[in-house]
Amino acid sequence: MQVHPDSVPPLAFAREADERPWDDAPPAGTAAAPAADSDESLMLAFAGGDAAAFTRLYDRHERAAWRFIRQRLGAQHAGAADDVLQETWISVARAAPRYVATARFTTWLFTVARNRVIDHLRAQSHAMPSIDAPLA
């Protein structure tokens, strides 16, 4: 049987194939292990019982999360930003055993924060106005 010359890659092409860094990527459908100091690995470490990992995550993202919450609450609810931030981190801590690193940790964190903002605004819309509150 005769092999067609176009069916065999030239040596240079074969060598390039050996040098492609993306060929070392894990197969589709498997997640790569997060780097040791990444947010995702810290969250997984916290889920495993490492309280210091939670402290590092909090120190890294507390300010950004607060700004995100403050901006979403708006001026009318600006005073509640600290409370919503605390509720956000409590939710993060409670959800740690179920955390799966399918996206960046910050994406998940800001989703949790957004949900706590919505919960706060929803609760405020159902709150009874105070008798002492000035009429608008």
Side-chain angles (χ1 to χ4, degrees), residues 10-124:
L11 183 58
F13 180 79
R15 197 174 307 120
E16 286 176 9
D18 293 339
E19 296 172 2
R20 287 184 268 184
W22 58 82
D23 284 345
D24 293 335
T30 61
D37 195 37
S38 72
D39 295 336
E40 295 77 20
S41 66
L42 288 173
M43 186 61 184
L44 292 170
F46 172 64
D50 183 359
F54 183 81
T55 302
R56 291 195 61 201
L57 283 171
Y58 182 85
D59 290 344
R60 281 185 188 178
H61 301 293
E62 180 259 338
R63 293 186 70 142
W66 186 87
R67 285 191 305 269
F68 177 86
I69 290 166
R70 171 65 175 81
Q71 182 181 15
R72 301 294 175 294
L73 285 174
Q76 185 178 8
H77 299 277
D82 291 334
D83 292 338
V84 174
L85 178 68
Q86 183 176 2
E87 292 169 13
T88 298
W89 285 102
I90 289 170
S91 295
V92 166
R94 286 183 178 155
R98 298 181 310 278
Y99 176 76
V100 178
T102 57
R104 294 182 63 173
F105 171 78
T106 52
T107 302
W108 182 74
L109 172 64
F110 290 134
T111 300
V112 172
R114 178 184 164 273
N115 291 340
R116 295 301 73 82
V117 167
I118 291 169
D119 291 345
H120 173 78
L121 294 175
R122 192 175 291 146
Q124 293 303 309

